Amino acid sequence: MKLAYWMYSGPAHIGTLRIASSFKNVHAIMHAPLGDDYFNVMRSMLERERNFTPVTASIVDRHVLARGSQEKVINNITRKDKEENPDLLILTPTCTSSILQEDLNNFVQRAAMETESDVILADVNHYRVNELEASDRTLEQIVSFYLQKAKKLNTLDVQKTVKPSVNIIGVLSLGFHHQHDLVDLKRLFEDLDIEINQIIPDNASVKELGLLPKAWFNFVPYREAGLLTAKLLSTEFNMPYVDVTPMGLLNIKTTIQQIQRILQDLQCIRNYESYVALQTKYVSQAAWFSRSIDCQNLTGKTAIVFGDATHSAAMTKILVKEMGIDVLWAGTYCMSDKKWFQEEVKDLCDRVIITDDHNLIGDMIAKTEPNAIFGTQMERHIGKRLNIPCGVISSPVHIQNFPLSYKPFLGYEGTNQIADLIYNSFTLGMEDHLLDLFGGHDTTDGITNTLSADNIIQWSPEALKELSKIPGFVRGKVKRNTEKFAISREYNLISLEVMYEAKEKVNS
Amino acid sequence: MSASTHKSPTFECETGNYHTFCPISCVSWLYQKIEDSFFLVIGTKTCGYFLQNAMGVMIFAEPRYAMAELEEGDISAQLNDYEELKRLCLQIKKDRQPGVIFWIGTCTTEIIKMDLEGIAPKLEADIQLPIIVARANGLDYAFTQGEDTVLAAMAYRCPDTIANNSIKHNNKCTTKTVIIFGSLPDPEVKQLSYELNKQNINIKGWLPSQRYSELPAIGPGDYVIGVNPFLSRTATTLMRRKKAKLISAPFPIGPDGTKEWIAKICKVFEIIPQGLEEREARIWSNLEEYISLIRGKSVFFMGDNLLEISLARFLIRCGMIVYEIGIPYMDKRYQGAEIELLQQTCEKMNVKMPKIVEKPDNYNQLDRIRDLQPDLVITGMAHANPLEARGINTKWSVEFTFAQIHGFTNSKDILELITRPLRRNNGLQAISDNIYTIPTSTNQ
């Protein structure tokens, strides 16, 4: 048993449902107790979805517990088949139902004999994989199922398109800014003169999955979902794939270079160098922005980064290499992608944190006191408590991170978006400067913004007054550094002198 | 009475394929109500994910609840339940120093048959902290029924009334004290107490009380009354275990319900209510502005929180037409007086008695909604946006459980909620008329 207040990623069935509800005309049936269909609420509220979420539950109640599901699941499958006429029905086990150890596969096979639609059982273990891993697996499972089917029916089309083309794999419902990213990705490929063969699973039809091999290569923008599918297509059809996330100028460049290389291997010589240069210089404002004098004030500012592997790694790279910001540590809750993440950020920051315990992250932030945080909703709340600004860069998120306006994180427009986010998260340059000069506009005595304030050390009234003159956003840090210093010198009263001494000795 | 028999309510029961909150959601309001409590939900990631998302912002305010997340070792009994729970409870005791720990059993603890009721007394003695077990799981219960299971478990912990014969004998009919069960926010507690005090009735205690240590003593002969329609287990427990006498009354929701609720208590104590009719009439007249917006309009309850009968009764009295009352579970005995009032209200307002659909089937309901085109659908968030996109006004049902809706004073709040979508639409007429309508082709 584990004491838990908060989770970064949800249970496995959420991942499966995100895949199912992304496809067009696919219906998921959860084998679940009453109340487990909370996914529908999330989708309907967060994405402000206008259509009914194609997820229903085959309710596990007391009777099911006593006698087994018997015909119930099968009846629910065949009923949904008639009512909704979907192309595919996915039976999804939940934490609860998976301990019942009913032979769901058998139900699926029996139901499939009566249904017009295809029926499959989501193959995920609820006690071993989380939401993200489950989404990756389910997507692979569905693609694999339809490729097999196409093979059997001899409808598999492996004839490559005339012009270079790509499949974009892993754009999901409830994904962090996925819809906006997709717009920018489409633009990118249009600029590169590459056709888009298929985008899956977003709004895709399972009937057309047999056409996936027509593309020249595959593109996986996010590591969390799609890699398994890309690997499957690579082994089955020898399709190369790009798994660099085009987030930030450097990553976009790498992405385009890899694409160029793949095309070259396929005897299509393209040179995108001047395109990259032009975009970097004029379309994206980010490079110029970091060069502009206003951003000089960001030099030496510190930040921490935490989120899913994709966004956290890319953000760290942007902060360090594109904005000149000091990243104290970077981390991810994607424990299964640990190795990749470490490799990616190891030269960019002092420490790498791999954990899914938000308490640990909270303590780390309190201890390292960055000038800004880039994380999830949880880090935003930690930041609020510690009075440290936070830019949200990754799921889990709230409704405000499903904005109506166009806010991609990927592509060249994404770089502008991110530059704004970074810059606005730090106190604005001039304001920062003036606050320093005039002792801040905040004259309240609120100086206890520590997570665990232990006041063993006394402050003299003069010293306190001095402390209050220090701008709010660094006051906590000065206070703690002075206290640390006083403890090391075994002072128990902080006078003005001690404060000055501390400032001289400690580089705060 | 003959009129009521031919208009007797029709009850239907569907498949139970409907959307509602999991009953563990009750921790979110109960931990705030019982100030020295800590709620430990013993379940899986699914339970945790639900709580964290459903409770939104509250989760960041250091709530006094947590998950005991079961891992594979717990499911396969490789780990010892007692030791595991002891470790977590000691941790909670150290970090939070609660006055009581509630264990909320979930679907998983049911299925693996974790003996929470057996472990709790032992552990309670071991760590010197009361532990109360409530099985609020989605296998057996819906949404607000979670509170019912918790209060029923708490009822056992209420101290027994000290048998003081002299008082009992002398004051048998003149004590006029009542114990109220049901968790309400503080302002509502104060308002209802005020109403009863005006009738010279004293409240001996509330279940739940503000603190665990202040649980009221309940014993044979004590009168108890519920404030919410979903508390049937608690009522049963108080009657059977504590030998208390249950006052069966409609619930104090809406001015009509509140009047009947108070009148029923008065009747039991043989008190002639003072100024009650006038008070009710005054409230009604204050509501006229809202009522004029909904009079003659129709409403459809999809059903998910068991407040439906009381709300429907109030809205009929306001002049609305109720097409269907969906409800997760219908206790005809506990809600008897409420159903009777519903019937009388229908007769009074001269409308047909609505159909009561237990364990509704949301898919079928959506079909009926398409046919009936009600002016307002009261439903969960899973259906609200899609219905709005099809031109149907909705009110999110969960708001009724979190808003203050009891007593005379709060009647306005109910209508504030009910009329909000209608008022909103009046405001938006310029841009959204005819944009969102039921599509002619079935694009659902």
Side-chain angles (χ1 to χ4, degrees):
Chain A
M1 270 179 221
K2 203 169 81 179
L3 199 60
Y5 299 88
W6 168 266
M7 292 176 293
Y8 282 103
S9 53
H13 70 268
I14 298 287
T16 299
L17 296 180
R18 282 177 62 192
I19 296 292
S21 62
S22 300
F23 276 110
K24 215 164 42 189
N25 216 18
V26 170
H27 199 102
I29 294 182
M30 301 167 69
H31 189 232
L34 196 65
D36 270 6
D37 59 350
Y38 193 71
F39 177 78
N40 298 30
V41 175
M42 288 178 63
R43 199 167 122 93
S44 169
M45 293 309 289
L46 295 178
E47 295 207 306
R48 303 179 192 88
E49 183 55 59
R50 296 172 198 215
N51 287 316
F52 292 100
T53 302
V55 175
T56 42
S58 172
I59 304 281
V60 176
D61 57 14
R62 200 45 79 173
H63 297 292
V64 171
L65 225 55
R67 305 173 300 139
S69 285
Q70 297 188 332
E71 300 300 309
K72 196 171 182 178
V73 175
I74 297 168
N75 288 343
N76 276 315
I77 294 173
T78 49
R79 178 184 162 185
K80 218 22 91 181
D81 176 56
K82 286 196 190 77
E83 284 170 354
E84 306 272 347
N85 219 343
D87 299 327
L88 169 68
L89 277 156
I90 303 181
L91 182 63
T92 313
T94 55
C95 303
T96 313
S97 76
S98 60
I99 10 176
L100 287 175
Q101 300 192 324
E102 286 192 287
D103 191 355
L104 296 181
N105 221 347
N106 175 34
F107 293 157
V108 162
Q109 276 162 13
R110 279 168 55 200
M113 289 189 280
E114 295 175 41
T115 56
E116 297 277 317
S117 46
D118 297 313
V119 192
I120 62 175
L121 173 68
D123 181 22
V124 286
N125 181 324
H126 278 77
Y127 293 89
R128 300 207 180 147
V129 298
N130 64 25
E131 168 188 353
L132 302 173
E133 295 159 277
S135 62
D136 204 10
R137 278 166 202 232
T138 305
L139 185 58
E140 183 209 24
Q141 194 189 352
I142 293 173
V143 169
S144 165
F145 177 86
Y146 279 98
L147 290 175
Q148 296 289 343
K149 193 176 170 186
K151 255 185 216 164
K152 234 182 262 165
L153 298 171
N154 260 330
T155 56
L156 195 65
D157 194 349
V158 290
Q159 179 74 44
K160 296 290 171 202
T161 54
V162 180
K163 282 179 73 180
S165 62
V166 62
N167 297 318
I168 300 176
I169 302 177
V171 180
L172 311 191
S173 73
L174 290 173
F176 181 74
H177 292 249
H178 278 202
Q179 290 308 320
H180 306 286
D181 286 348
L182 183 59
V183 175
D184 223 58
L185 289 177
K186 280 181 183 167
R187 183 192 299 168
L188 179 70
F189 283 112
E190 194 181 311
D191 287 352
L192 299 178
D193 197 23
I194 293 170
E195 283 176 354
I196 293 172
N197 182 51
Q198 296 220 325
I199 298 164
I200 60 165
D202 180 65
N203 215 17
S205 164
V206 287
K207 285 180 181 161
E208 288 161 15
L209 290 177
L211 305 178
L212 280 173
K214 288 180 78 68
W216 288 32
F217 69 102
N218 291 314
F219 178 58
V220 183
Y222 315 102
R223 296 189 61 75
E224 284 70 30
L227 267 183
L228 284 177
T229 310
K231 282 174 187 161
L232 170 86
L233 291 165
S234 165
T235 39
E236 292 258 319
F237 303 100
N238 206 16
M239 290 175 81
Y241 65 89
V242 177
D243 64 351
V244 183
T245 305
M247 179 170 152
L249 292 168
L250 292 168
N251 272 357
I252 299 175
K253 193 174 172 184
T254 316
T255 309
I256 294 175
Q257 281 169 344
Q258 286 204 10
I259 292 170
Q260 188 176 318
R261 214 169 304 134
I262 284 173
L263 295 183
Q264 197 173 352
D265 292 345
L266 298 166
Q267 265 72 48
C268 171
I269 309 299
R270 292 271 176 93
N271 190 341
Y272 293 129
E273 222 165 275
S274 58
Y275 170 76
V276 171
L278 195 75
Q279 294 283 319
T280 308
K281 203 164 176 189
Y282 295 112
V283 175
S284 164
Q285 301 291 318
W288 161 240
F289 183 64
S290 357
R291 192 69 198 224
S292 70
I293 51 156
D294 207 22
C295 275
Q296 278 184 10
N297 288 329
L298 293 183
T299 315
K301 294 270 190 218
T302 57
I304 67 97
V305 187
F306 193 78
D308 63 18
T310 297
H311 290 90
S312 183
M315 195 65 190
T316 308
K317 194 180 276 181
I318 293 169
L319 286 168
V320 175
K321 291 194 163 170
E322 298 178 23
M323 304 288 269
I325 288 160
D326 192 4
V327 174
L328 301 171
W329 52 271
T332 182
Y333 56 83
C334 297
M335 319 264 280
S336 56
D337 215 7
K338 187 175 172 177
K339 239 170 88 189
W340 176 85
F341 186 81
Q342 278 170 330
E343 198 55 41
E344 202 68 5
V345 301
K346 69 171 187 224
D347 298 326
L348 303 173
C349 56
D350 304 336
R351 274 186 77 183
V352 181
I353 311 289
I354 315 276
T355 182
D356 55 5
D357 178 358
H358 78 273
N359 286 312
L360 189 73
I361 295 301
D363 286 346
M364 283 284 296
I365 294 174
K367 235 181 272 162
T368 48
E369 295 176 55
N371 296 121
I373 302 167
F374 296 95
T376 71
Q377 271 298 332
M378 184 37 106
E379 284 69 45
R380 196 172 74 85
H381 283 270
I382 295 169
K384 260 192 195 164
R385 268 159 61 192
L386 295 169
N387 202 15
I388 301 172
C390 176
V392 175
I393 56 143
S394 158
S395 293
V397 289
H398 282 176
I399 195 155
Q400 68 261 41
N401 293 104
F402 290 88
L404 302 177
S405 55
Y406 177 49
K407 287 198 156 102
F409 271 66
L410 305 190
Y412 285 109
E413 181 52 34
T415 62
N416 295 334
Q417 197 62 51
I418 294 168
D420 277 342
L421 180 75
I422 295 173
Y423 186 68
N424 294 339
S425 297
F426 290 101
T427 311
L428 302 177
M430 211 49 188
E431 192 189 351
D432 185 346
H433 195 56
L434 291 173
L435 284 172
D436 250 347
L437 271 178
F438 298 116
H441 42 52
D442 175 13
T443 49
T444 53
D445 291 329
I447 43 170
T448 49
N449 60 355
T450 36
L451 271 181
S452 51
D454 42 356
N455 293 322
I456 33 164
I457 293 218
Q458 297 278 314
W459 284 72
S460 78
E462 300 90 323
L464 261 185
K465 202 171 162 203
E466 189 67 16
L467 187 66
S468 71
K469 285 183 197 157
I470 292 165
F473 55 94
V474 284
R475 194 183 297 144
K477 188 172 181 176
V478 171
K479 178 171 182 260
R480 279 182 290 274
N481 276 344
T482 313
E483 284 175 350
K484 255 185 256 165
F485 173 78
I487 291 166
S488 72
R489 295 292 163 97
E490 290 177 32
Y491 298 143
N492 39 27
L493 182 82
I494 297 175
S495 60
L496 271 181
E497 286 88 326
V498 176
M499 233 181 128
Y500 295 146
E501 199 186 340
K503 193 177 177 193
E504 283 152 20
K505 296 279 153 60
V506 190
N507 219 351
S508 55
Chain B
M1 277 293 110
S2 64
S4 71
T5 40
H6 88 260
K7 281 186 184 170
S8 65
T10 48
F11 295 96
E12 279 177 27
C13 188
E14 283 191 305
T15 60
N17 279 321
Y18 63 102
H19 167 76
T20 183
F21 271 16
C22 171
I24 59 171
S25 53
C26 70
V27 305
S28 70
W29 65 85
L30 287 175
Y31 92 80
Q32 293 183 53
K33 175 72 195 177
I34 309 165
E35 286 168 359
D36 57 347
S37 63
F38 191 97
F39 284 81
L40 184 67
V41 181
I42 304 162
T44 60
K45 251 179 169 338
T46 305
C47 313
Y49 197 65
F50 163 70
L51 277 181
Q52 136 178 356
N53 283 296
M55 299 318 134
V57 175
M58 272 197 280
I59 201 99
F60 299 104
E62 297 230 345
R64 288 188 316 278
Y65 67 81
M67 291 293 310
E69 195 184 311
L70 299 169
E71 294 167 296
E72 212 168 3
D74 299 302
I75 305 297
S76 54
Q78 284 167 345
L79 296 167
N80 180 303
D81 297 339
Y82 182 84
E83 291 303 326
E84 290 295 300
L85 283 166
K86 185 175 172 184
R87 184 170 55 81
L88 300 193
C89 288
L90 282 173
Q91 172 96 41
I92 292 164
K93 192 182 171 189
K94 192 177 124 239
D95 293 349
R96 303 294 182 92
Q97 290 134 9
V100 56
I101 297 180
F102 287 88
W103 285 355
I104 304 295
T106 61
C107 304
T108 309
T109 56
E110 287 297 309
I111 294 172
I112 64 174
K113 298 195 169 33
M114 192 182 277
D115 182 20
L116 296 177
E117 279 91 348
I119 297 172
K122 268 186 258 166
L123 193 56
E124 186 172 297
D126 229 13
I127 66 169
Q128 297 289 306
L129 197 62
I131 296 170
I132 297 180
V133 181
R135 303 175 175 207
N137 61 67
L139 294 169
D140 301 309
Y141 306 110
F143 196 11
T144 49
Q145 287 180 291
E147 175 181 320
D148 193 22
T149 63
V150 173
L151 297 192
M154 273 181 100
Y156 285 92
R157 300 298 181 110
C158 291
D160 289 317
T161 319
I162 304 149
N164 195 331
N165 285 333
S166 60
I167 292 175
K168 237 183 179 174
H169 268 289
N170 297 338
N171 299 357
K172 188 140 198 186
C173 284
T174 51
T175 39
K176 296 184 176 104
T177 64
V178 64
I179 295 159
I180 303 177
F181 57 94
S183 163
L184 294 185
D186 231 28
E188 289 195 334
V189 168
K190 291 216 177 71
Q191 285 156 10
L192 286 180
S193 312
Y194 164 77
E195 302 292 350
L196 289 182
N197 288 342
K198 276 211 300 205
Q199 304 301 339
N200 214 9
I201 297 161
N202 285 317
I203 298 173
K204 193 180 159 195
W206 279 77
L207 176 68
S209 46
Q210 201 82 324
R211 300 182 72 80
Y212 174 71
S213 49
E214 292 160 7
L215 273 184
I218 305 177
D222 279 332
Y223 283 100
V224 293
I225 187 163
V227 286
N228 269 323
F230 45 77
L231 297 171
S232 54
R233 277 175 72 91
T234 310
T236 313
T237 310
L238 289 172
M239 285 192 293
R240 297 214 181 128
R241 299 290 160 163
K242 290 289 180 180
K243 307 287 177 219
K245 292 183 195 158
L246 178 73
I247 303 174
S248 174
F251 301 99
I253 292 169
D256 47 344
T258 309
K259 190 209 94 183
E260 288 298 325
W261 188 74
I262 297 170
K264 211 54 188 289
I265 302 173
C266 288
K267 198 174 158 205
V268 168
F269 293 123
E270 291 163 352
I271 295 172
I272 295 158
Q274 299 295 313
L276 198 55
E277 303 275 348
E278 294 82 349
R279 181 135 171 76
E280 190 200 353
R282 209 166 43 247
I283 298 288
W284 280 119
S285 70
N286 290 343
L287 295 177
E288 183 50 37
E289 195 191 326
Y290 289 101
I291 293 177
S292 63
L293 287 170
I294 51 173
R295 196 171 280 134
K297 295 227 156 71
S298 55
V299 59
F300 189 109
F301 286 87
M302 286 187 78
D304 68 351
N305 59 17
L306 283 94
L307 294 170
E308 291 87 1
I309 304 275
S310 310
L311 287 173
R313 176 258 303 153
F314 169 53
L315 293 182
I316 291 171
R317 180 67 181 69
C318 289
M320 290 188 92
I321 297 148
V322 178
Y323 285 147
E324 175 166 332
I325 309 176
I327 186 167
Y329 169 74
M330 181 74 239
D331 185 328
K332 288 174 199 160
R333 275 178 63 193
Y334 177 63
Q335 294 221 43
E338 183 63 84
I339 293 172
E340 209 174 296
L341 181 60
L342 172 67
Q343 251 172 289
Q344 288 164 8
T345 307
C346 287
E347 278 167 37
K348 187 171 175 182
M349 302 304 291
N350 201 18
V351 290
K352 235 179 83 191
M353 179 81 182
K355 179 171 77 164
I356 297 169
V357 181
E358 226 183 320
K359 292 173 138 224
D361 185 298
N362 280 169
Y363 186 87
N364 296 344
Q365 283 185 317
L366 290 175
D367 250 2
R368 297 198 285 270
I369 288 169
R370 254 191 296 271
D371 292 345
L372 293 164
Q373 297 279 318
D375 294 309
L376 183 67
V377 173
I378 296 177
T379 180
M381 280 213 281
H383 296 116
N385 269 339
L387 281 171
E388 289 282 350
R390 282 155 185 74
I392 295 201
N393 295 320
T394 60
K395 183 74 227 142
W396 181 37
S397 56
V398 174
E399 283 192 70
F400 293 103
T401 37
F402 292 119
Q404 301 186 4
I405 61 168
H406 295 82
F408 286 127
T409 321
N410 296 312
S411 305
K412 198 176 130 204
D413 293 58
I414 306 175
L415 291 185
E416 179 78 27
L417 288 175
I418 292 286
T419 56
R420 194 171 294 160
L422 305 167
R423 285 180 288 133
R424 191 263 328 260
N425 287 0
N426 290 342
L428 294 184
Q429 247 162 17
I431 60 156
S432 61
D433 241 16
N434 303 324
I435 298 182
Y436 298 105
T437 48
I438 303 267
T440 37
S441 63
T442 47
N443 172 36
Q444 69 99 26

